[in-house]
Amino acid sequence: MTHTITLIPGDGIGPEVTRAVVKVIEATGLDVQWESYTAGAAAVAEHGTTLPTALLDSVRRTKVALKGPIGTPVGEGFTSVNVGLRKALDLFANLRPVWNLPSIKSRYEGVDLVIVRENTEDLYSGLEHVVVPGVIESLKIITSHASTRIARFAFEYARRHGRKRVTAIHKANIMKLGDGMFLDSVRAVARNYPDIECDDRIVDALCMHLVMKPEQFDVLVLPNLYGDIVSDLCAGLVGGLGVVPAANLGEGGIGVFEAVHGSAPDIAGLDVANPLALLLSGVLMLRHIDEDARADAVMHAVDAVLAEGRVRTADLGGSSTTTEFADAICAALGRA
Ligand code: NAI
């Protein structure tokens, strides 16, 4: 069967890392047609917008996209294309599995947790205004609809993947209404999943427990802002932004797969970025389209190349280029 997949190379290191991942995915023998679209600053000249309608239509049609990072100007300029894409396609769940890759040195062992981040509201609603000069109001929106939907997603995920516990993360001691409703929604959903334990942590305490004993956590479900911050913290537990994948998932099986890291303008165009995080997102994508055998093959190739230790990018202590890393994975696939 031919898979049609939307490709969004992005900017900064995006085109380099997506090129590497496309090469590896094609080396698995997957029969794939890519529909490639620019987005972000580069799309403005051609389409007059950072998020072209044709791109959105493509993802709605193919239901699956591989996406490189897209930069957002800080404090001014256009709003985040990444947030815009999630909103336009109602990609309400951001899934970030975090685990120790064998051969990647980190401070911790036995980390195997999954972050389920609500993706559509909270302080990312983009509702900010000047009340009077010198006073800004940024609105944190929490709805029972979105909280219940993400909670259900987390418990369904836990059940499907043999996970034992879902922990709701909040600051309901201070934001009694907003975070209180998030917590209540998770608890209400939990009653339908007696086979899965449910508990909760206050977000600041969670951060301390994560850096002291991360192996105690299983599935974490969080509102948008805490999810964003905690997922970078968790990436740091297992080797950094270069090794953690992500998926943005919506209703009807729609999925946009991207790395947790950004467009890294400081190293863009140098062929030194680590494509591993996007490659692991590609593995999630292969599983999403029911190509588990190819996903397993890529994982074996990744483990083999990392274990051998000869080909690694600079962020993992090596000196290999992005292209050399992709070629090494393709060669390992060929040997399998
Ligand atoms: P960043 O993740 O791009 O970079 C942080 C640091 O990590 C930099 O030193 C960078 O060189 C390094 N790094 C990141 N990815 C790497 C990789 N694959 N291999 C080796 N080193 C890597 O975060 P930053 O600098 O805060 O953001 C840069 C731009 O990316 C911003 O415009 C931001 O808005 C955007 N961004 C986009 C995201 C997305 O498309 N989903 C997510 C996060 C940020």
Side-chain angles (χ1 to χ4, degrees):
M1 149 185 197
T2 304
H3 294 279
T4 308
I5 299 176
T6 306
L7 185 67
I8 309 166
D11 48 43
I13 59 169
E16 300 157 54
V17 290
T18 43
R19 202 177 308 123
V21 174
V22 163
K23 196 190 248 186
V24 172
I25 287 177
E26 291 183 348
T28 67
L30 186 77
D31 186 359
V32 56
Q33 279 188 339
W34 304 97
E35 292 188 3
S36 186
Y37 292 89
T38 50
V44 176
E46 203 181 325
H47 302 278
T49 168
T50 54
L51 195 51
T53 310
L55 182 162
L56 294 173
D57 288 344
S58 171
V59 186
R60 287 189 186 106
R61 193 175 54 250
T62 64
K63 289 196 180 306
V64 58
L66 182 69
K67 175 186 165 296
I70 299 171
T72 312
V74 175
E76 55 177 14
F78 58 82
T79 56
S80 165
V81 177
N82 308 303
V83 174
L85 186 67
R86 292 169 197 168
K87 277 194 186 153
L89 298 171
D90 196 19
L91 301 169
F92 68 90
N94 189 256
L95 183 76
R96 298 183 173 189
V98 179
W99 75 102
N100 286 112
L101 279 168
S103 319
I104 299 282
K105 227 175 114 216
S106 75
R107 288 168 199 268
Y108 302 93
E109 281 173 13
V111 180
D112 181 15
L113 59 86
V114 178
I115 293 173
V116 176
R117 165 185 168 194
E118 204 289 323
N119 229 358
T120 63
E121 54 179 29
D122 195 356
L123 275 162
Y124 290 66
S125 304
L127 300 172
E128 288 191 313
H129 61 270
V130 181
V131 180
V132 290
V135 181
I136 305 292
E137 197 168 49
S138 303
L139 298 181
K140 170 172 164 124
I141 306 295
I142 301 286
T143 65
S144 77
H145 167 74
S147 304
T148 302
R149 183 161 73 160
I150 197 68
R152 212 174 278 138
F153 179 94
F155 280 95
E156 280 298 321
Y157 179 91
R159 187 175 271 173
R160 267 204 322 279
H161 292 85
R163 297 273 173 173
K164 303 276 178 281
R165 182 162 43 104
V166 172
T167 305
I169 310 304
H170 61 89
K171 188 82 187 172
N173 51 331
I174 304 297
M175 281 159 279
K176 293 180 193 297
L177 291 181
D179 281 22
M181 189 168 68
F182 179 82
L183 179 58
D184 288 346
S185 305
V186 176
R187 285 178 174 157
V189 169
R191 287 197 272 281
N192 300 319
Y193 296 84
D195 48 320
I196 294 157
E197 198 188 322
C198 176
D199 62 2
D200 69 279
R201 298 274 169 117
I202 292 175
V203 63
D204 40 351
L206 168 81
C207 291
M208 182 194 68
H209 289 128
L210 276 170
V211 297
M212 291 184 74
K213 210 168 169 252
E215 65 280 8
Q216 68 182 295
F217 293 102
D218 197 345
V219 177
L220 306 177
V221 60
L222 311 92
N224 209 342
L225 177 63
Y226 308 148
D228 194 1
I229 296 167
V230 169
S231 38
D232 273 27
L233 187 160
C234 288
L237 299 175
V238 296
L241 289 174
V243 301
V244 179
N248 295 292
L249 302 165
E251 306 282 6
I254 196 163
V256 175
F257 296 81
E258 64 179 338
V260 173
H261 63 72
S263 57
D266 52 332
I267 54 168
L270 302 177
D271 198 27
V272 297
N274 188 354
L276 181 55
L278 188 64
L279 182 57
L280 296 176
S281 308
V283 168
L284 294 182
M285 183 182 80
L286 288 171
R287 297 201 190 285
H288 184 76
I289 59 172
D290 295 327
E291 291 285 354
D292 284 295
R294 293 183 211 281
D296 291 343
V298 175
M299 277 319 300
H300 287 134
V302 165
D303 288 343
V305 169
L306 292 177
E308 200 200 5
R310 207 174 39 83
V311 182
R312 284 188 181 204
T313 47
D315 58 312
L316 297 181
S319 58
S320 306
T321 63
T322 313
T323 311
E324 285 165 350
F325 185 78
D327 288 344
I329 302 287
C330 292
L333 275 169
R335 286 196 295 272

